[in-house]
Amino acid sequence: MTSLRYRRAPLLALVAVLLFPPAAEAQDPVDPVTTVAATPDRPSYDVSLRADADGSHWTGRETVSFRNASRTPLRSVDVRLWGNGTDGCGSPDAPSPVRVSGVVGGTPRPLTVGCTALRIDLPAPLPRGARASVSFDLAITVPDRVHRFGRDGAHRYLGNALPLLAVRDAGGRHLDPDVGFGESFHTLAGDFRVVLDHPDALLVPATGTTTRRTGAPGRTVSTSVAHGVRDFAWAAGPFRSRTVTTPGGVRLHAYWTATTSAEGVAVDLRDAAGSVDAFGKRFGRYPGGELDLVMSDALDDFGSMEFPGLVLLWTEPEGSAVVHEIAHQWFYGVVGNDQYTAPWLDESFAQYANQSYYGDDTTGCWEDQGEWPSDTAALTRTMGYYADGHRSEYVRVVYGRGACALHDLERVLGGPAMAAMLRGYVRDHWLGVATTADFKRAAQAATARDLGPFWAEHRIG
């Protein structure tokens, strides 16, 4: 999510958004499953949606096919409707923003976890290695709020709007709640083909590579295809736009609102071009080929937000958190993590990459952090911990201490060894899912020094 390097915008506004969102609903209990491999894997999403006149309502159908990677027969799948995380089950007068009906390929159960989880029982147990699919009608209403899934004026933002398959592994079914700040998401990389039928007046930036054709009179059909991504997001509105290609060959499509600062757009494009190439050299070439930057001066209610191949940016004359969000294309996008269980594995790493890109002086940053905010604080705490009475620790620990821990590790290993270790860590978990234990093993393999005391000092359990 948003970067602590908000030298371009007031930090207090960001902290208020992260620390004082609406309270989250408690998670429903889930049944454990006896499996080790993360499943269902190799998902393929085929979606076709039609927008109304201003992009506030989208209706159509979604089909998702998947494979059972587990030795245990798969008897059901769970679909996450993350777009309902803030509004929950709604009311008769104001239903949930994301609604599913007409399920084919299985039998749906009642929605759970604040109407963000839909279990679909399969007609027969799916054996290991076999594929199946489910499909359903989908209706999306963009909420009337400035948010990553919301609207501002004539512009619509559809982050976390598309239903996705949940993960189950040795830890069971991952049906964690949306706690209202940060991220709770955990998905496996898959392929998307999303067809969006919309009015000509709306530009529609989206994840993946997009082609456009003329539709019915006054309408355009945009088809976006993305491979090896964990989510799909789009926006719609009368954006202004520009495309540039970085020296490294990545196409950057910039979209911004009429009121967004021209200076901020220029700064974002400059920093985006520099960082996407720099991170490609450091961590492995950016896999998407193109990246959409969606900029607005009205998105300060939630800051900025990363999605695969698309970032939403709160842009002011000095720019935005674009470098931090682009770093997330590697740490969350390429190297996945369970964002509810281990938020530090993407936020701390993105903040470390952001500070490294700008050449921040981080010497002594660990000491500069002062005392831990509590005896229970640790870098490896879950989002559940922060939601349960520790919200004030989230920014300070995950962004501040997490990035400092990685800078400290670089000083222990040495710059070249740290760079080689991180590049190998990314390579070894390319489009997979990494854990804290995976990272600790990679770091320990890069030095003969026992890192046990380092992990203890930095509370990396």
Side-chain angles (χ1 to χ4, degrees):
M1 197 180 169
T2 42
S3 166
L4 270 187
R5 189 186 179 85
Y6 251 48
R7 59 181 180 183
R8 311 177 177 96
L11 179 59
L12 290 179
L14 167 64
V15 173
V17 172
L18 289 173
L19 301 186
F20 302 105
E25 179 177 319
Q27 180 185 1
D28 292 343
V30 295
D31 298 327
V33 292
T34 55
T35 179
V36 174
T39 197
D41 73 347
R42 302 184 185 178
S44 178
Y45 299 86
D46 195 333
V47 184
S48 181
L49 297 171
R50 177 182 173 86
D52 65 356
D54 65 359
S56 295
H57 302 277
W58 300 77
T59 56
R61 193 154 182 88
E62 175 175 339
T63 299
V64 55
S65 67
F66 48 86
R67 185 189 74 150
N68 179 19
S70 170
R71 294 183 182 274
T72 304
L74 193 63
R75 301 177 183 276
S76 65
V77 293
D78 298 290
V79 177
R80 296 311 305 264
L81 283 60
W82 286 113
N84 293 339
T86 298
D87 301 277
C89 298
S91 66
D93 295 331
S96 298
V98 180
R99 301 174 301 284
V100 166
S101 61
V103 175
V104 174
T107 304
R109 297 191 190 182
L111 289 165
T112 60
V113 198
C115 287
T116 67
L118 173 67
R119 184 164 303 170
I120 300 174
D121 293 325
L122 301 179
L126 187 68
R128 182 184 186 188
R131 292 191 69 88
S133 66
V134 296
S135 62
F136 43 82
D137 293 327
L138 180 61
I140 298 172
T141 299
V142 181
D144 188 12
R145 58 172 173 268
V146 180
H147 191 259
R148 60 197 183 200
F149 180 32
R151 65 179 76 185
D152 175 62
H155 301 86
R156 310 291 180 254
Y157 305 98
L158 290 105
N160 308 125
L162 206 63
L164 303 172
L165 285 178
V167 179
R168 62 182 71 181
D169 55 21
R173 291 183 171 91
H174 290 268
L175 299 180
D176 300 303
D178 182 343
V179 301
F181 63 100
E183 288 82 49
S184 296
F185 315 129
H186 182 26
T187 55
L188 302 182
D191 299 330
F192 288 78
R193 180 180 181 273
V194 180
V195 179
L196 302 173
D197 182 330
H198 55 89
D200 291 339
L202 303 181
L203 292 184
V204 182
T207 294
T209 300
T210 301
T211 57
R212 299 173 178 85
R213 64 176 176 83
T214 301
R219 299 186 69 86
T220 296
V221 178
S222 298
T223 301
S224 298
V225 176
H227 299 289
V229 297
R230 302 178 191 279
D231 198 352
F232 185 97
W234 73 100
F239 293 103
R240 300 178 181 182
S241 65
R242 178 188 174 194
T243 297
V244 301
T245 301
T246 73
V250 179
R251 292 183 302 280
L252 299 177
H253 304 294
Y255 299 84
W256 65 93
T257 66
T259 57
T260 304
S261 159
E263 294 85 352
V265 171
V267 170
D268 277 356
L269 275 171
R270 180 198 68 199
D271 288 356
S275 61
V276 76
D277 282 353
F279 294 154
K281 292 177 181 177
R282 185 170 188 187
F283 305 129
R285 182 174 175 82
Y286 172 68
E290 59 186 72
L291 177 62
D292 288 0
L293 314 175
V294 182
M295 295 172 272
S296 170
D297 62 345
L299 299 181
D300 58 315
D301 280 358
F302 72 91
S304 301
M305 181 65 193
E306 75 283 354
F307 297 97
L310 182 148
V311 294
L312 301 178
L313 300 168
W314 170 27
T315 298
E316 293 196 322
E318 296 82 8
S320 72
V322 63
V323 173
H324 176 98
E325 306 307 341
I326 286 178
H328 274 303
Q329 300 300 312
W330 282 265
F331 299 107
Y332 148 75
V334 171
V335 181
N337 63 296
D338 180 343
Q339 293 180 301
Y340 183 89
T341 299
W344 90 286
L345 282 178
D346 61 291
E347 292 298 353
S348 299
F349 282 61
Q351 187 65 1
Y352 160 81
N354 177 83
Q355 292 169 342
S356 297
Y357 175 78
Y358 284 115
D360 287 356
D361 182 5
T362 60
T363 305
C365 66
W366 188 256
E367 291 77 12
D368 292 342
Q369 291 289 321
E371 296 294 326
W372 285 92
S374 71
D375 291 339
T376 57
L379 282 180
T380 46
R381 290 297 186 184
T382 71
M383 290 305 297
Y385 168 84
Y386 294 115
D388 187 21
H390 299 92
R391 290 180 183 176
S392 62
E393 298 179 6
Y394 174 70
V395 170
R396 182 175 173 185
V397 172
V398 174
Y399 290 79
R401 284 191 172 273
C404 281
L406 294 172
H407 289 297
D408 279 359
L409 181 61
E410 182 173 348
R411 282 183 277 273
V412 170
L413 300 181
M418 180 74 167
M421 183 274 290
L422 284 175
R423 190 173 181 88
Y425 169 73
V426 172
R427 180 194 63 235
D428 292 344
H429 300 284
W430 192 270
L431 299 185
V433 175
T435 65
T436 296
D438 291 328
F439 176 69
K440 290 172 69 174
R441 280 192 292 269
Q444 185 60 74
T447 180
R449 175 177 172 177
D450 178 14
L451 292 178
F454 179 91
W455 306 131
E457 177 188 357
H458 293 79
R459 298 193 185 181
I460 301 174

